[in-house]
Amino acid sequence: MSASTDRSAEPATAERGIDPRGPRFGAAITATLLLVTVVLAVAGAATAAFWLLVALTALFAWGAFAGIRRHPFGLLFAKFVRPRLAPPAELEDPRPPTFAQGVGFAVAAAGVILALLGVPYAVPIAAGAAFIAAFLNAAFDFCLGCQLYLLLVRARVIRTA
């Protein structure tokens, strides 16, 4: 159920929905940067790959902790892309994509921390895993982090019922 169809059934935090094309736009940029990270790491530019993953980790943190509406790619979408598009058919709850940013942060941060500990291939493996999730979102509108969020919400509802 989207935020635009029945606001009375959703908590107040989800009242203002987001354009669902915004997270896909951000996922496309993120997937591209993650693919560059993997290529750099495999091609022997480990230092460049590491620092790019550090930057992406910071971007994931920004989206997870400041919210999807304040993420730089979301702001780019809102300022330059959305005004050129027709209004969305419906709005989306911002909580699942924000949670997905947190999952991306955890994966990318694990890669950074493991690389600092000297674990070989930590950067390309973490970047590759995050790339798969970002690519699925960008290309097929399938958000793994959002699905995980929904599973966790359902588990909490079932357990408390």
Side-chain angles (χ1 to χ4, degrees):
M1 174 174 13
S2 76
S4 64
T5 56
D6 183 10
R7 293 181 191 269
S8 63
E10 296 192 15
T13 57
E15 278 194 31
R16 288 185 25 231
I18 59 170
D19 186 329
R21 299 168 295 186
R24 287 187 75 187
F25 172 81
I29 297 170
T30 302
T32 302
L33 293 171
L34 287 163
L35 184 59
V36 169
T37 305
V38 171
V39 169
L40 287 171
V42 171
T47 302
F50 172 79
W51 286 110
L52 185 51
L53 188 61
V54 167
L56 288 165
T57 302
L59 285 169
F60 279 127
W62 193 332
F65 300 117
I68 198 75
R69 287 187 183 99
R70 293 182 186 92
H71 190 279
F73 299 154
L75 295 172
L76 281 173
F77 175 80
K79 178 78 172 172
F80 298 109
V81 178
R82 186 171 181 191
R84 291 165 175 73
L85 301 174
E90 60 183 19
L91 298 178
E92 177 178 86
D93 183 349
R95 293 174 296 179
T98 299
F99 179 83
Q101 289 288 306
V103 173
F105 169 70
V107 170
V112 168
I113 292 167
L114 290 172
L116 288 171
L117 294 173
V119 174
Y121 306 110
V123 168
I125 290 171
F131 166 77
I132 290 168
F135 178 78
L136 286 172
N137 191 359
F140 302 109
D141 196 20
F142 184 79
C143 175
L144 287 172
C146 300
Q147 295 303 315
L148 181 59
Y149 174 85
L150 295 174
L151 284 172
L152 291 172
V153 166
R154 286 185 195 124
R156 186 184 70 194
V157 170
I158 292 170
R159 190 179 65 213
T160 60

